[in-house]
Amino acid sequence: MAKRRSTQKNTTAPAWVWIPRLLVGLLFIFSGLIKANDPLGFSYKLQEYFEVFHITFLDGLALTMAVFLCAMEMILGFALLIGVRGKQVAWGLLLIIIFFAFLTFYSAYFKVVQTCGCFGDAIVLTPWQSFSKDLVLLLLILLLFKHRAGIRPIFSPKTSDGLLILAVILSIGVGLYTYNFLPVLDFLPYKVGASIPDEMKTPPGAHPDEFEQTYHLQNKASHATKTMTDKEYIKSNIWKDNNWQIVGQPESRLIKKGYTPKIQDLTINDAQRNDYTNELLSNPFYSLVIVAWDLNDTNADAINRINAMALDLIHNYNIRTVLLTSSPAGVAEPFAKEHKLVSEIFYVDEVPLKEMVRANPGVLLLKNGVIINKWHYHSLPKYDDLVKQYLQKL
């Protein structure tokens, strides 16, 4: 018996297991790292799933869960590569890939969350692409799980444990840093250097999405039914026959993907619903744009500091400063009075505001609709530094 236990203990996985080990380990590290680059964005994706499964009471935990899941992916991937805690890591990988595969299949089959956020905004996959990717990973992880007892560390136990602890600290630290100081790599359309007006345009010659409409028709006299596409409907001239009527709503299906502008849903209005989008984005001078999509949850101290800077910029350089929010006027106007805001207030849907800057509040410096720079409220520049870097060059 002693000899059998010794043999099992020294079991080593076949050399080919290194192939799935490297693939899974590196992919998990990449996936976790790319999402940890923007944990707030990943938390928004989790909230979409919470809404689908009617568990929105978890919304308050979305950010914590986002940081944890990103860190867990990186930790498991790194632990697999160095071979530490092989059995536990194999179990962790199997459970997490089953969970992800379920979510991506559910999204694809029921057409709910149309981008899973597997690789953040860096690589956007369709639900079926995400599910296919998870199936391949599941097969690779099953191979690793079968040989989990033979996954051996490549370093001594002491070194392996030290590296694992370092990986845990760094994995959690990345998410916390990017949450507090903006993503290191910005994959969103409102990145520094982007021209917002250009990102809203469709280039000449580019074709939009093509859709096919399907009509359900019924004969008034015989009650016979027909189903035909919009092209068939026009070609057959059945629309001229008063005996046939369309029943219900036409069904729309995308048949050819066309060009989609990166920014599609940006409209800036005042409290009276007047559109100021073009005016604000065509200003040839610097504008300071404060983004606070939810005034009930914004950092009040940061708002006060930004307001003090805005006041100095208005008095000394006549800089136009505006506050963009998705909060209703009934919330924004009392908020402005309470904090003695000097900025004009405009209203924008929360989705583009969340994409502009991953902070509540955040600040953008615009000129001619181009994003010159942007800051989290934790990393706001000092007034003198802002003037020296931008305004004294005028």
Side-chain angles (χ1 to χ4, degrees):
M1 291 297 291
K3 186 175 180 180
R4 171 183 283 185
R5 284 195 297 265
S6 176
T7 301
Q8 290 179 340
K9 184 177 180 180
N10 293 324
T11 299
T12 302
W16 60 263
V17 172
W18 266 105
I19 298 175
R21 184 170 165 177
L22 287 171
L23 290 174
V24 173
L26 292 174
L27 191 59
F28 262 68
I29 292 173
F30 175 75
S31 175
L33 187 60
I34 209 71
K35 289 197 290 288
N37 177 66
D38 183 14
L40 195 56
F42 185 39
S43 74
Y44 297 151
K45 188 62 59 179
L46 291 178
Q47 288 174 348
E48 289 185 48
Y49 281 109
F50 294 161
E51 185 174 353
V52 167
F53 293 108
H54 308 291
I55 50 175
T56 52
F57 60 87
L58 292 176
D59 281 355
L61 297 173
L63 179 60
T64 302
M65 294 175 66
V67 173
F68 173 79
L69 284 172
C70 295
M72 185 58 64
E73 283 190 78
M74 288 185 281
I75 293 166
L76 288 173
F78 181 74
L80 178 65
L81 290 180
I82 67 172
V84 65
R85 307 283 196 279
K87 293 181 180 179
Q88 293 89 335
V89 168
W91 271 106
L93 291 169
L94 183 62
L95 292 175
I96 202 169
I97 197 59
I98 289 173
F99 173 69
F100 284 154
F102 165 74
L103 289 182
T104 52
F105 173 77
Y106 193 95
S107 296
Y109 187 80
F110 293 102
K111 299 180 180 179
V112 282
V113 181
Q114 289 303 289
T115 55
C116 71
C118 302
F119 300 114
D121 291 288
I123 304 174
V124 180
L125 301 178
T126 66
W128 283 119
Q129 288 173 336
S130 299
F131 178 62
S132 300
K133 178 262 300 177
D134 287 341
L135 278 185
V136 173
L137 274 174
L138 178 59
L139 292 175
L140 294 174
I141 291 172
L142 285 172
L143 289 174
L144 294 171
F145 188 80
K146 180 180 179 182
H147 296 280
R148 62 190 182 279
I151 297 176
R152 295 283 175 239
I154 59 177
F155 301 108
S156 67
K158 185 176 180 180
T159 301
S160 296
D161 288 343
L163 290 173
L164 185 60
I165 292 171
L166 181 62
V168 170
I169 295 172
L170 290 177
S171 297
I172 296 174
V174 168
L176 294 178
Y177 176 84
T178 52
Y179 167 67
N180 284 286
F181 297 98
L182 296 186
V184 175
L185 299 174
D186 194 346
F187 298 104
L188 293 168
Y190 298 92
K191 61 186 176 182
V192 174
S195 170
I196 298 176
D198 288 347
E199 300 291 5
M200 298 171 69
K201 295 176 183 176
T202 298
H207 298 286
D209 292 344
E210 291 184 22
F211 292 89
E212 180 183 78
Q213 302 288 331
T214 300
Y215 297 110
H216 302 282
L217 300 100
Q218 185 178 55
N219 190 285
K220 297 177 183 178
S222 64
H223 300 292
T225 60
K226 288 184 182 226
T227 299
M228 55 178 60
T229 67
D230 49 355
K231 292 181 180 178
E232 293 170 339
Y233 180 75
I234 297 297
K235 187 176 180 180
S236 67
N237 288 326
I238 196 172
W239 54 276
K240 295 180 180 180
D241 189 343
N242 292 328
N243 290 319
W244 288 93
Q245 63 181 357
I246 297 175
V247 178
Q249 293 295 322
E251 298 172 4
S252 182
R253 181 175 68 91
L254 179 67
I255 58 174
K256 186 177 181 181
K257 184 66 178 173
Y259 179 85
T260 303
K262 292 182 180 179
I263 299 176
Q264 307 174 63
D265 50 2
L266 178 63
T267 304
I268 304 172
N269 297 318
D270 65 7
Q272 287 72 45
R273 309 303 298 172
N274 298 308
D275 191 340
Y276 279 79
T277 310
N278 184 61
E279 178 183 324
L280 293 173
L281 297 181
S282 60
N283 181 10
F285 307 104
Y286 282 115
S287 298
L288 192 76
V289 179
I290 306 161
V291 177
W293 71 272
D294 184 359
L295 293 175
N296 289 319
D297 194 39
T298 195
N299 186 292
D301 177 66
I303 285 289
N304 293 334
R305 288 188 285 117
I306 297 169
N307 191 51
M309 179 188 290
L311 182 60
D312 288 337
L313 289 171
I314 292 171
H315 285 330
N316 298 327
Y317 291 92
N318 198 28
I319 295 293
R320 187 174 191 177
T321 68
V322 300
L323 171 72
L324 304 183
T325 183
S326 60
S327 295
V331 173
E333 290 172 3
F335 183 90
K337 290 180 180 178
E338 178 185 354
H339 295 274
K340 298 181 175 57
L341 297 186
V342 295
S343 304
E344 303 170 77
I345 300 177
F346 295 99
Y347 302 89
V348 182
D349 183 75
E350 68 177 52
V351 173
L353 290 185
K354 287 179 176 179
E355 290 183 335
M356 282 184 190
V357 57
R358 297 297 203 203
N360 186 33
V363 175
L364 286 77
L365 186 65
L366 292 186
K367 188 176 183 181
N368 247 338
V370 176
I371 301 174
I372 306 301
N373 210 337
K374 63 180 180 179
W375 300 273
H376 192 286
Y377 65 85
H378 283 153
S379 56
L380 286 173
K382 294 180 180 179
Y383 171 78
D384 291 339
D385 293 337
L386 184 67
V387 168
K388 183 178 180 180
Q389 186 172 358
Y390 300 104
L391 304 182
Q392 286 185 349
K393 296 179 180 180
L394 295 176

